[in-house]
């Protein structure tokens, strides 16, 4: 089952941003992330649920294709209008629970909120970033890696992936995210800074 952030969800996100929202993290069975997000979006018109997916290279290096894969297996993010009573959230057949750290009723705050909003900005799916190579160095010029608040801890030119490390919900995440090389314009090739 593939995830699609369609126009209906884009409009719902815009409505939530305009009115104000509160983010939560939900835990479900691994492999049910997309199904749960779709179910919650269908049953709850004022809320927005998104999985945390990445595009991943599958296949041999020369003939690899990009496929969707859960980055945080078993977790999705739920964005509700400010003051929304969570006990009124309509549930379907996919079971889940709201992650609750006791002190805030499960509401994401601080860096956790920042990451949830970063995931929302990308519609729950981190596509391949675009990169250029200048003077033997690689520079990300667009895509989710451009504004990620984490650090690059590895790089594979052959596999066209960066190993990124960041913290989310108290867990250190260390994962590979793909990028695509873009040919820089002629004048950019002469640049000596990155």
């Amino acid at each position: 089952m593939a995830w699609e952030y369609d126009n209906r969800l884009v409009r719902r996100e815009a409505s939530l941003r305009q009115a104000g929202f509160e983010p939560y993290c939900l835990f479900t069975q691994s492999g049910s992330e997309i199904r749960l997000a779709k179910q919650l979006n269908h049953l709850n018109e004022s809320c927005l649920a998104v999985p945390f997916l990445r595009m991943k290279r599958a296949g041999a290096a020369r003939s690899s294709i990009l496929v969707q894969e859960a980055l945080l297996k078993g977790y999705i993010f739920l964005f509700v209008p400010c003051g929304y009573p969570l006990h009124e959230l309509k549930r379907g057949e996919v079971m889940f629970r709201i992650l609750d750290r006791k002190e805030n009723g499960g509401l994401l705050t601080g860096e956790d909120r920042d990451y949830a909003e970063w995931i929302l900005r990308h519609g729950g799916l981190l596509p391949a970033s675009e990169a250029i190579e200048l003077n033997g160095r690689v520079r990300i010029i667009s895509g989710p890696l451009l504004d990620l608040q984490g650090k690059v801890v590895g790089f594979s030119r052959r596999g066209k992936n960066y190993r990124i490390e960041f913290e989310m919900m108290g867990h250190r995440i260390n994962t590979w995210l793909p990028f695509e090389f873009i040919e820089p314009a002629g004048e950019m090739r002469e640049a000596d800074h990155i």
Side-chain angles (χ1 to χ4, degrees):
M1 176 181 294
W3 174 250
E4 181 183 351
Y5 201 69
D6 60 25
N7 288 332
R8 178 180 57 93
L9 297 180
V10 170
R11 286 190 301 272
R12 196 177 294 184
E13 176 187 346
S15 177
L16 281 167
R17 286 191 183 280
Q18 184 176 10
F21 64 86
E22 297 173 329
Y24 292 86
C25 185
L26 309 181
F27 180 71
T28 188
Q29 181 179 5
S30 181
S32 300
E33 300 89 359
I34 295 173
R35 211 169 87 214
L36 176 58
K38 287 183 174 187
Q39 169 186 290
L40 290 174
N41 288 330
H42 176 72
L43 295 173
N44 301 278
E45 288 295 319
S46 63
C47 303
L48 178 58
V50 296
F52 188 17
L53 307 173
R54 68 175 171 166
M55 296 305 295
K56 178 185 174 187
R57 294 193 184 282
R62 290 185 185 250
S63 62
S64 66
I65 60 169
L66 291 171
V67 297
Q68 294 179 356
E69 177 184 78
L71 187 55
L72 276 180
K73 295 184 186 320
Y75 296 91
I76 72 163
F77 293 87
L78 178 67
F79 303 87
V80 301
C82 289
Y84 184 87
L86 289 177
H87 67 275
E88 292 183 11
L89 189 69
K90 295 177 185 163
R91 298 170 175 248
E93 76 275 356
V94 181
M95 301 301 291
F96 68 90
R97 67 179 172 87
I98 298 171
L99 292 184
D100 186 354
R101 292 189 173 182
K102 306 275 187 252
E103 72 270 6
N104 57 8
L107 179 64
L108 298 179
T109 59
E111 288 182 357
D112 291 340
R113 182 186 177 103
D114 293 342
Y115 279 113
E117 289 191 36
W118 177 69
I119 293 162
L120 180 59
R121 279 195 307 274
H122 295 286
L125 177 63
L126 304 182
S129 290
E130 293 182 329
I132 57 175
E133 186 172 4
L134 297 171
N135 301 325
R137 297 174 67 190
V138 173
R139 179 179 183 182
I140 298 296
I141 59 170
S142 71
L145 295 181
L146 186 63
D147 62 352
L148 175 68
Q149 295 178 10
K151 64 180 183 176
V152 175
V153 295
F155 165 71
S156 168
R157 183 181 313 272
R158 183 171 170 226
K160 296 181 187 175
N161 287 291
Y162 276 105
R163 183 177 275 300
I164 307 296
E165 183 177 279
F166 57 97
E167 193 165 309
M168 178 70 174
M169 301 295 297
H171 298 284
R172 176 159 281 139
I173 299 170
N174 194 315
T175 188
W176 290 96
L177 294 175
F179 67 90
E180 297 292 334
F181 273 122
I182 304 298
E183 277 298 315
E187 64 275 4
M188 289 185 73
R189 287 192 190 126
E190 302 303 319
D192 56 358
H193 68 282
I194 293 188

